[in-house]
Each structure stands twice: as C-alpha cells, then as structure tokens.
Amino acid sequence: MLLSELAVASGCSAATIKYYRREGLLPPGERITATRQNYGTRHLERLALIQVLREVADAPIPAIRRLTALLDDPSVPLIRALEEAQAIALGDLAAGGPAAGDRPEHPTVAALLERMGWPDIGSIPRRALDEVLHTLAAWEMPDGIDTVMRYAVPMAEISRGDVASLHRGSLQKGSLQRTEDGDEPSEDVKVMRAVAGTIAFDQLIRALRALGHVSLSVTADRSAGPEQH
C-alpha cells in the first residue's frame, strides 16, 4: 500500500508516519520510485505498536526508539524487547527508588520466587516488586511473604493466560482485533499486547479490588441491620 493508504489503514496522518520514519521508529517501505514506497503489514503493525506506546503508555520517542531498535535487530531475542516494553509499562517502578542501588533486596522477593518455583534471575519486574515492598515497609504496611502470596497465586494464573494470549492470531489491517486464522503474530504485535495488557489489566485489577471493598462494606452494613436507638 502507498503512504496515503497506510495512513487511512493505521489511523495515523501521513505527516506523522513521515515523522516516525525520520525518528527511526518505522522501517522504510519497498522502494517503487524515487519518491514512492510500498508499505505492508509489518508497517501497519509497527504503527499500531507506536500508537499504544504513545497514547496508552505515554512513552517518549527515545524510549520507543530503543524498543523498536531491539525489534529490528534479528540478533536480539524477543524476551529482551519484552523486557524493554515492561520497563515502559511499569514507568518509575522499573527504575527503583533513589536508594535502590544502595540497599539490599527486600527478603520477600527471594522468598516469593522460591515459593512459586520461579527462576531466581534479575529482571525489571523483580526490581519493581522490590521497590513496592520497600515502600510498603516504609509505610508500616504488611510486606511479608504471606501477604504477597495472597496476590501472587491468583496473579500466576492470570499471567499464564496473558502469556498465551500474546501468541494468538495476528492483526487485521486497520484493527487491533486478532484474526481467527491461528497465524503466529509478529513480534511487534506481541510487544504491543504486552504493553497494552499490562496497563489495561492493571487498571482492571485496581477497579475490581476497589469494587470489592465497596461491595463488602455495603454488605457488612446491611448485615448489621438498622442502628438501635
């Protein structure tokens, strides 16, 4: 498809697409003439990824450039690009607090990995968890293994579904919906789903937790009956 057709299919203006090309976020198309290029599914999926990073994750251009450079390097495994995407989705948590480099890791992190049978390796989510646990400790809130396990066990099951969903189907042109043909999606699509899923489902979990608090409080008040005067 030509640039004008790519703009319609992606929902990005032609000027925006040219800007992404200049910034190195979008690979060049197949050259037709000196001034015209042909674009395909790869470009459509890359634009979908960029839109999610910009509009959902509020990622700056340099962060997106680092991620797309990993995706465009055939020697880099997908897990490295997914880790970079996690850093974008987690935001400040991924970097840790100002004292993160000077303090020992919170002991609950290693205890959790052992209990869950997860690999004892360094990662951005591990640093983020360490930061959260140190924050809980500073606020004198529960930060022990029993508290964390209440969340980790159901989240492990949710995570299994999330990982499986990364590999289902591919994108339809001009849509973020997957096809039903069972094709393995591209790495751009997998990373896009990882970023969008992390942010959107984090919001879902917060909303459900808050709804549970309200609902249980109302139920408890009703069970207590009217006040006695």
mmCIF file of all heavy atoms in Angstrom, residues 92-135:
data_model
loop_
_atom_site.group_PDB
_atom_site.id
_atom_site.type_symbol
_atom_site.label_atom_id
_atom_site.label_comp_id
_atom_site.label_asym_id
_atom_site.label_seq_id
_atom_site.Cartn_x
_atom_site.Cartn_y
_atom_site.Cartn_z
ATOM 1 N N ASP A 92 8.094 4.509 36.518
ATOM 2 C CA ASP A 92 9.080 4.794 37.555
ATOM 3 C C ASP A 92 9.431 3.574 38.390
ATOM 4 O O ASP A 92 10.546 3.464 38.904
ATOM 5 C CB ASP A 92 8.572 5.901 38.486
ATOM 6 C CG ASP A 92 8.455 7.248 37.776
ATOM 7 O OD1 ASP A 92 9.114 7.408 36.732
ATOM 8 O OD2 ASP A 92 7.713 8.120 38.258
ATOM 9 N N LEU A 93 8.492 2.642 38.547
ATOM 10 C CA LEU A 93 8.775 1.444 39.336
ATOM 11 C C LEU A 93 9.921 0.640 38.748
ATOM 12 O O LEU A 93 10.661 -0.029 39.471
ATOM 13 C CB LEU A 93 7.535 0.556 39.423
ATOM 14 C CG LEU A 93 6.487 0.923 40.475
ATOM 15 C CD1 LEU A 93 5.313 -0.042 40.375
ATOM 16 C CD2 LEU A 93 7.090 0.866 41.875
ATOM 17 N N ALA A 94 10.057 0.679 37.423
ATOM 18 C CA ALA A 94 11.088 -0.120 36.765
ATOM 19 C C ALA A 94 12.487 0.350 37.135
ATOM 20 O O ALA A 94 13.429 -0.429 37.154
ATOM 21 C CB ALA A 94 10.911 -0.058 35.246
ATOM 22 N N ALA A 95 12.626 1.638 37.439
ATOM 23 C CA ALA A 95 13.937 2.195 37.764
ATOM 24 C C ALA A 95 14.282 2.037 39.232
ATOM 25 O O ALA A 95 15.451 2.103 39.618
ATOM 26 C CB ALA A 95 13.978 3.675 37.380
ATOM 27 N N GLY A 96 13.271 1.824 40.086
ATOM 28 C CA GLY A 96 13.517 1.743 41.521
ATOM 29 C C GLY A 96 13.620 3.126 42.120
ATOM 30 O O GLY A 96 13.685 4.140 41.415
ATOM 31 N N GLY A 97 13.625 3.191 43.413
ATOM 32 C CA GLY A 97 13.703 4.471 44.105
ATOM 33 C C GLY A 97 15.109 5.017 44.138
ATOM 34 O O GLY A 97 16.062 4.380 43.674
ATOM 35 N N PRO A 98 15.307 6.204 44.709
ATOM 36 C CA PRO A 98 16.630 6.829 44.727
ATOM 37 C C PRO A 98 17.669 6.028 45.497
ATOM 38 O O PRO A 98 18.860 6.134 45.232
ATOM 39 C CB PRO A 98 16.356 8.189 45.402
ATOM 40 C CG PRO A 98 15.057 8.023 46.128
ATOM 41 C CD PRO A 98 14.271 7.040 45.322
ATOM 42 N N ALA A 99 17.220 5.207 46.481
ATOM 43 C CA ALA A 99 18.170 4.438 47.282
ATOM 44 C C ALA A 99 18.257 2.981 46.843
ATOM 45 O O ALA A 99 18.896 2.166 47.505
ATOM 46 C CB ALA A 99 17.767 4.503 48.757
ATOM 47 N N ALA A 100 17.609 2.650 45.722
ATOM 48 C CA ALA A 100 17.517 1.245 45.306
ATOM 49 C C ALA A 100 18.888 0.608 45.110
ATOM 50 O O ALA A 100 19.095 -0.561 45.435
ATOM 51 C CB ALA A 100 16.688 1.133 44.027
ATOM 52 N N GLY A 101 19.835 1.361 44.581
ATOM 53 C CA GLY A 101 21.154 0.789 44.328
ATOM 54 C C GLY A 101 22.003 0.619 45.573
ATOM 55 O O GLY A 101 23.025 -0.076 45.542
ATOM 56 N N ASP A 102 21.629 1.251 46.687
ATOM 57 C CA ASP A 102 22.438 1.215 47.904
ATOM 58 C C ASP A 102 21.886 0.282 48.978
ATOM 59 O O ASP A 102 22.513 0.110 50.016
ATOM 60 C CB ASP A 102 22.535 2.637 48.500
ATOM 61 C CG ASP A 102 23.106 3.627 47.513
ATOM 62 O OD1 ASP A 102 23.995 3.228 46.736
ATOM 63 O OD2 ASP A 102 22.654 4.786 47.510
ATOM 64 N N ARG A 103 20.738 -0.310 48.762
ATOM 65 C CA ARG A 103 20.117 -1.115 49.806
ATOM 66 C C ARG A 103 20.023 -2.568 49.342
ATOM 67 O O ARG A 103 19.970 -2.855 48.148
ATOM 68 C CB ARG A 103 18.721 -0.575 50.121
ATOM 69 C CG ARG A 103 17.725 -0.823 49.004
ATOM 70 C CD ARG A 103 16.422 -0.100 49.201
ATOM 71 N NE ARG A 103 15.540 -0.382 48.075
ATOM 72 C CZ ARG A 103 14.528 0.391 47.707
ATOM 73 N NH1 ARG A 103 14.266 1.494 48.382
ATOM 74 N NH2 ARG A 103 13.768 0.070 46.671
ATOM 75 N N PRO A 104 19.953 -3.497 50.294
ATOM 76 C CA PRO A 104 19.758 -4.906 49.919
ATOM 77 C C PRO A 104 18.340 -5.143 49.434
ATOM 78 O O PRO A 104 17.419 -4.399 49.782
ATOM 79 C CB PRO A 104 20.020 -5.651 51.232
ATOM 80 C CG PRO A 104 19.730 -4.647 52.305
ATOM 81 C CD PRO A 104 20.136 -3.314 51.736
ATOM 82 N N GLU A 105 18.173 -6.170 48.625
ATOM 83 C CA GLU A 105 16.842 -6.503 48.125
ATOM 84 C C GLU A 105 15.947 -6.918 49.290
ATOM 85 O O GLU A 105 16.389 -7.568 50.232
ATOM 86 C CB GLU A 105 16.946 -7.629 47.105
ATOM 87 C CG GLU A 105 15.626 -8.023 46.471
ATOM 88 C CD GLU A 105 15.774 -9.136 45.446
ATOM 89 O OE1 GLU A 105 15.958 -10.296 45.859
ATOM 90 O OE2 GLU A 105 15.730 -8.835 44.237
ATOM 91 N N HIS A 106 14.679 -6.549 49.186
ATOM 92 C CA HIS A 106 13.718 -6.927 50.223
ATOM 93 C C HIS A 106 13.659 -8.457 50.299
ATOM 94 O O HIS A 106 13.533 -9.135 49.271
ATOM 95 C CB HIS A 106 12.339 -6.364 49.886
ATOM 96 C CG HIS A 106 11.378 -6.411 51.027
ATOM 97 N ND1 HIS A 106 10.822 -7.583 51.459
ATOM 98 C CD2 HIS A 106 10.877 -5.426 51.840
ATOM 99 C CE1 HIS A 106 10.012 -7.332 52.478
ATOM 100 N NE2 HIS A 106 10.033 -6.034 52.738
ATOM 101 N N PRO A 107 13.745 -9.041 51.491
ATOM 102 C CA PRO A 107 13.812 -10.501 51.599
ATOM 103 C C PRO A 107 12.584 -11.239 51.066
ATOM 104 O O PRO A 107 12.672 -12.420 50.693
ATOM 105 C CB PRO A 107 13.971 -10.743 53.112
ATOM 106 C CG PRO A 107 13.491 -9.470 53.762
ATOM 107 C CD PRO A 107 13.833 -8.382 52.803
ATOM 108 N N THR A 108 11.457 -10.556 50.992
ATOM 109 C CA THR A 108 10.250 -11.218 50.494
ATOM 110 C C THR A 108 10.364 -11.574 49.014
ATOM 111 O O THR A 108 9.715 -12.509 48.548
ATOM 112 C CB THR A 108 9.017 -10.333 50.742
ATOM 113 O OG1 THR A 108 8.862 -10.136 52.148
ATOM 114 C CG2 THR A 108 7.741 -10.966 50.212
ATOM 115 N N VAL A 109 11.204 -10.851 48.267
ATOM 116 C CA VAL A 109 11.342 -11.133 46.836
ATOM 117 C C VAL A 109 11.885 -12.548 46.617
ATOM 118 O O VAL A 109 11.298 -13.352 45.879
ATOM 119 C CB VAL A 109 12.265 -10.101 46.161
ATOM 120 C CG1 VAL A 109 12.486 -10.474 44.691
ATOM 121 C CG2 VAL A 109 11.668 -8.703 46.255
ATOM 122 N N ALA A 110 13.001 -12.859 47.254
ATOM 123 C CA ALA A 110 13.596 -14.191 47.094
ATOM 124 C C ALA A 110 12.677 -15.273 47.646
ATOM 125 O O ALA A 110 12.564 -16.365 47.061
ATOM 126 C CB ALA A 110 14.955 -14.245 47.790
ATOM 127 N N ALA A 111 12.005 -14.971 48.759
ATOM 128 C CA ALA A 111 11.079 -15.947 49.338
ATOM 129 C C ALA A 111 9.934 -16.251 48.380
ATOM 130 O O ALA A 111 9.502 -17.405 48.244
ATOM 131 C CB ALA A 111 10.540 -15.414 50.668
ATOM 132 N N LEU A 112 9.447 -15.229 47.709
ATOM 133 C CA LEU A 112 8.364 -15.410 46.745
ATOM 134 C C LEU A 112 8.807 -16.291 45.579
ATOM 135 O O LEU A 112 8.089 -17.223 45.180
ATOM 136 C CB LEU A 112 7.892 -14.056 46.220
ATOM 137 C CG LEU A 112 6.906 -14.102 45.046
ATOM 138 C CD1 LEU A 112 5.556 -14.644 45.508
ATOM 139 C CD2 LEU A 112 6.760 -12.734 44.402
ATOM 140 N N LEU A 113 9.974 -15.995 45.019
ATOM 141 C CA LEU A 113 10.472 -16.782 43.884
ATOM 142 C C LEU A 113 10.616 -18.251 44.267
ATOM 143 O O LEU A 113 10.287 -19.145 43.475
ATOM 144 C CB LEU A 113 11.809 -16.211 43.406
ATOM 145 C CG LEU A 113 11.785 -14.783 42.853
ATOM 146 C CD1 LEU A 113 13.193 -14.334 42.500
ATOM 147 C CD2 LEU A 113 10.877 -14.679 41.645
ATOM 148 N N GLU A 114 11.089 -18.513 45.479
ATOM 149 C CA GLU A 114 11.245 -19.900 45.927
ATOM 150 C C GLU A 114 9.893 -20.577 46.102
ATOM 151 O O GLU A 114 9.696 -21.708 45.649
ATOM 152 C CB GLU A 114 12.022 -19.934 47.243
ATOM 153 C CG GLU A 114 12.285 -21.349 47.751
ATOM 154 C CD GLU A 114 13.103 -21.360 49.024
ATOM 155 O OE1 GLU A 114 13.465 -20.265 49.520
ATOM 156 O OE2 GLU A 114 13.372 -22.458 49.525
ATOM 157 N N ARG A 115 8.955 -19.889 46.735
ATOM 158 C CA ARG A 115 7.626 -20.470 46.965
ATOM 159 C C ARG A 115 6.911 -20.775 45.649
ATOM 160 O O ARG A 115 6.254 -21.800 45.505
ATOM 161 C CB ARG A 115 6.767 -19.496 47.778
ATOM 162 C CG ARG A 115 7.143 -19.373 49.234
ATOM 163 C CD ARG A 115 6.377 -20.356 50.126
ATOM 164 N NE ARG A 115 6.531 -20.009 51.519
ATOM 165 C CZ ARG A 115 5.619 -19.369 52.232
ATOM 166 N NH1 ARG A 115 4.468 -19.014 51.667
ATOM 167 N NH2 ARG A 115 5.836 -19.084 53.497
ATOM 168 N N MET A 116 7.051 -19.870 44.674
ATOM 169 C CA MET A 116 6.342 -20.018 43.404
ATOM 170 C C MET A 116 7.089 -20.909 42.416
ATOM 171 O O MET A 116 6.551 -21.276 41.375
ATOM 172 C CB MET A 116 6.110 -18.638 42.769
ATOM 173 C CG MET A 116 5.247 -17.697 43.601
ATOM 174 S SD MET A 116 3.559 -18.315 43.840
ATOM 175 C CE MET A 116 2.935 -18.237 42.157
ATOM 176 N N GLY A 117 8.349 -21.222 42.718
ATOM 177 C CA GLY A 117 9.142 -22.012 41.779
ATOM 178 C C GLY A 117 9.543 -21.231 40.547
ATOM 179 O O GLY A 117 9.763 -21.812 39.477
ATOM 180 N N TRP A 118 9.663 -19.907 40.690
ATOM 181 C CA TRP A 118 10.047 -19.047 39.567
ATOM 182 C C TRP A 118 11.560 -18.886 39.522
ATOM 183 O O TRP A 118 12.225 -18.969 40.562
ATOM 184 C CB TRP A 118 9.377 -17.679 39.702
ATOM 185 C CG TRP A 118 7.895 -17.723 39.462
ATOM 186 C CD1 TRP A 118 7.184 -18.707 38.862
ATOM 187 C CD2 TRP A 118 6.937 -16.718 39.851
ATOM 188 N NE1 TRP A 118 5.852 -18.399 38.820
ATOM 189 C CE2 TRP A 118 5.661 -17.183 39.425
ATOM 190 C CE3 TRP A 118 7.013 -15.495 40.497
ATOM 191 C CZ2 TRP A 118 4.498 -16.459 39.621
ATOM 192 C CZ3 TRP A 118 5.847 -14.759 40.695
ATOM 193 C CH2 TRP A 118 4.603 -15.242 40.264
ATOM 194 N N PRO A 119 12.151 -18.651 38.341
ATOM 195 C CA PRO A 119 13.612 -18.529 38.219
ATOM 196 C C PRO A 119 14.157 -17.380 39.070
ATOM 197 O O PRO A 119 13.578 -16.286 39.094
ATOM 198 C CB PRO A 119 13.822 -18.256 36.724
ATOM 199 C CG PRO A 119 12.588 -18.761 36.062
ATOM 200 C CD PRO A 119 11.473 -18.548 37.041
ATOM 201 N N ASP A 120 15.256 -17.639 39.738
ATOM 202 C CA ASP A 120 15.904 -16.633 40.572
ATOM 203 C C ASP A 120 16.866 -15.821 39.704
ATOM 204 O O ASP A 120 18.085 -15.996 39.746
ATOM 205 C CB ASP A 120 16.643 -17.312 41.731
ATOM 206 C CG ASP A 120 17.200 -16.300 42.735
ATOM 207 O OD1 ASP A 120 16.938 -15.100 42.579
ATOM 208 O OD2 ASP A 120 17.909 -16.729 43.660
ATOM 209 N N ILE A 121 16.284 -14.955 38.885
ATOM 210 C CA ILE A 121 17.073 -14.149 37.944
ATOM 211 C C ILE A 121 16.696 -12.684 38.091
ATOM 212 O O ILE A 121 15.612 -12.341 38.560
ATOM 213 C CB ILE A 121 16.844 -14.589 36.481
ATOM 214 C CG1 ILE A 121 15.353 -14.461 36.117
ATOM 215 C CG2 ILE A 121 17.341 -16.013 36.258
ATOM 216 C CD1 ILE A 121 15.045 -14.721 34.650
ATOM 217 N N GLY A 122 17.613 -11.814 37.706
ATOM 218 C CA GLY A 122 17.326 -10.390 37.721
ATOM 219 C C GLY A 122 16.395 -10.012 36.581
ATOM 220 O O GLY A 122 16.464 -10.579 35.495
ATOM 221 N N SER A 123 15.503 -9.071 36.841
ATOM 222 C CA SER A 123 14.587 -8.603 35.803
ATOM 223 C C SER A 123 13.996 -7.267 36.240
ATOM 224 O O SER A 123 14.065 -6.890 37.420
ATOM 225 C CB SER A 123 13.456 -9.604 35.547
ATOM 226 O OG SER A 123 12.613 -9.708 36.688
ATOM 227 N N ILE A 124 13.396 -6.570 35.289
ATOM 228 C CA ILE A 124 12.748 -5.298 35.600
ATOM 229 C C ILE A 124 11.565 -5.493 36.538
ATOM 230 O O ILE A 124 11.424 -4.747 37.524
ATOM 231 C CB ILE A 124 12.339 -4.585 34.293
ATOM 232 C CG1 ILE A 124 13.590 -4.039 33.599
ATOM 233 C CG2 ILE A 124 11.350 -3.452 34.563
ATOM 234 C CD1 ILE A 124 13.366 -3.493 32.229
ATOM 235 N N PRO A 125 10.677 -6.486 36.320
ATOM 236 C CA PRO A 125 9.589 -6.688 37.291
ATOM 237 C C PRO A 125 10.098 -7.036 38.687
ATOM 238 O O PRO A 125 9.477 -6.664 39.684
ATOM 239 C CB PRO A 125 8.789 -7.845 36.681
ATOM 240 C CG PRO A 125 9.073 -7.770 35.223
ATOM 241 C CD PRO A 125 10.506 -7.335 35.132
ATOM 242 N N ARG A 126 11.213 -7.751 38.776
ATOM 243 C CA ARG A 126 11.772 -8.064 40.096
ATOM 244 C C ARG A 126 12.188 -6.775 40.810
ATOM 245 O O ARG A 126 11.914 -6.617 42.013
ATOM 246 C CB ARG A 126 12.966 -9.004 39.948
ATOM 247 C CG ARG A 126 13.598 -9.392 41.288
ATOM 248 C CD ARG A 126 14.662 -10.440 41.114
ATOM 249 N NE ARG A 126 15.219 -10.857 42.401
ATOM 250 C CZ ARG A 126 15.866 -12.003 42.598
ATOM 251 N NH1 ARG A 126 16.047 -12.838 41.575
ATOM 252 N NH2 ARG A 126 16.336 -12.308 43.794
ATOM 253 N N ARG A 127 12.831 -5.866 40.096
ATOM 254 C CA ARG A 127 13.211 -4.588 40.707
ATOM 255 C C ARG A 127 11.973 -3.798 41.111
ATOM 256 O O ARG A 127 11.956 -3.138 42.151
ATOM 257 C CB ARG A 127 14.056 -3.763 39.733
ATOM 258 C CG ARG A 127 15.423 -4.358 39.439
ATOM 259 C CD ARG A 127 16.403 -3.293 38.969
ATOM 260 N NE ARG A 127 15.911 -2.543 37.819
ATOM 261 C CZ ARG A 127 16.166 -2.863 36.560
ATOM 262 N NH1 ARG A 127 16.874 -3.950 36.278
ATOM 263 N NH2 ARG A 127 15.718 -2.122 35.570
ATOM 264 N N ALA A 128 10.934 -3.859 40.275
ATOM 265 C CA ALA A 128 9.704 -3.142 40.590
ATOM 266 C C ALA A 128 9.054 -3.699 41.852
ATOM 267 O O ALA A 128 8.572 -2.946 42.708
ATOM 268 C CB ALA A 128 8.732 -3.222 39.411
ATOM 269 N N LEU A 129 9.035 -5.020 41.986
ATOM 270 C CA LEU A 129 8.475 -5.645 43.186
ATOM 271 C C LEU A 129 9.279 -5.241 44.419
ATOM 272 O O LEU A 129 8.706 -4.934 45.473
ATOM 273 C CB LEU A 129 8.460 -7.164 43.037
ATOM 274 C CG LEU A 129 8.007 -7.957 44.271
ATOM 275 C CD1 LEU A 129 6.577 -7.590 44.651
ATOM 276 C CD2 LEU A 129 8.134 -9.456 44.033
ATOM 277 N N ASP A 130 10.590 -5.242 44.294
ATOM 278 C CA ASP A 130 11.443 -4.831 45.408
ATOM 279 C C ASP A 130 11.107 -3.410 45.847
ATOM 280 O O ASP A 130 11.011 -3.109 47.047
ATOM 281 C CB ASP A 130 12.910 -4.921 44.983
ATOM 282 C CG ASP A 130 13.866 -4.429 46.059
ATOM 283 O OD1 ASP A 130 13.853 -4.989 47.172
ATOM 284 O OD2 ASP A 130 14.620 -3.480 45.788
ATOM 285 N N GLU A 131 10.884 -2.524 44.884
ATOM 286 C CA GLU A 131 10.544 -1.132 45.202
ATOM 287 C C GLU A 131 9.206 -1.052 45.929
ATOM 288 O O GLU A 131 9.059 -0.320 46.922
ATOM 289 C CB GLU A 131 10.502 -0.306 43.908
ATOM 290 C CG GLU A 131 10.134 1.156 44.112
ATOM 291 C CD GLU A 131 11.188 1.921 44.892
ATOM 292 O OE1 GLU A 131 12.340 1.460 44.981
ATOM 293 O OE2 GLU A 131 10.849 2.990 45.430
ATOM 294 N N VAL A 132 8.213 -1.818 45.460
ATOM 295 C CA VAL A 132 6.901 -1.807 46.106
ATOM 296 C C VAL A 132 7.000 -2.304 47.546
ATOM 297 O O VAL A 132 6.415 -1.736 48.472
ATOM 298 C CB VAL A 132 5.904 -2.668 45.307
ATOM 299 C CG1 VAL A 132 4.613 -2.866 46.098
ATOM 300 C CG2 VAL A 132 5.593 -2.013 43.968
ATOM 301 N N LEU A 133 7.753 -3.370 47.751
ATOM 302 C CA LEU A 133 7.874 -3.953 49.088
ATOM 303 C C LEU A 133 8.589 -3.009 50.049
ATOM 304 O O LEU A 133 8.206 -2.884 51.216
ATOM 305 C CB LEU A 133 8.598 -5.290 49.014
ATOM 306 C CG LEU A 133 7.806 -6.415 48.333
ATOM 307 C CD1 LEU A 133 8.683 -7.636 48.101
ATOM 308 C CD2 LEU A 133 6.582 -6.794 49.158
ATOM 309 N N HIS A 134 9.618 -2.331 49.570
ATOM 310 C CA HIS A 134 10.293 -1.352 50.423
ATOM 311 C C HIS A 134 9.356 -0.184 50.757
ATOM 312 O O HIS A 134 9.401 0.357 51.867
ATOM 313 C CB HIS A 134 11.564 -0.839 49.737
ATOM 314 C CG HIS A 134 12.743 -1.742 49.915
ATOM 315 N ND1 HIS A 134 13.387 -1.909 51.121
ATOM 316 C CD2 HIS A 134 13.396 -2.556 49.036
ATOM 317 C CE1 HIS A 134 14.394 -2.762 50.985
ATOM 318 N NE2 HIS A 134 14.407 -3.178 49.733
ATOM 319 N N THR A 135 8.512 0.184 49.799
ATOM 320 C CA THR A 135 7.536 1.241 50.059
ATOM 321 C C THR A 135 6.521 0.797 51.112
ATOM 322 O O THR A 135 6.187 1.560 52.035
ATOM 323 C CB THR A 135 6.802 1.626 48.757
ATOM 324 O OG1 THR A 135 7.757 2.114 47.806
ATOM 325 C CG2 THR A 135 5.764 2.714 49.021
#
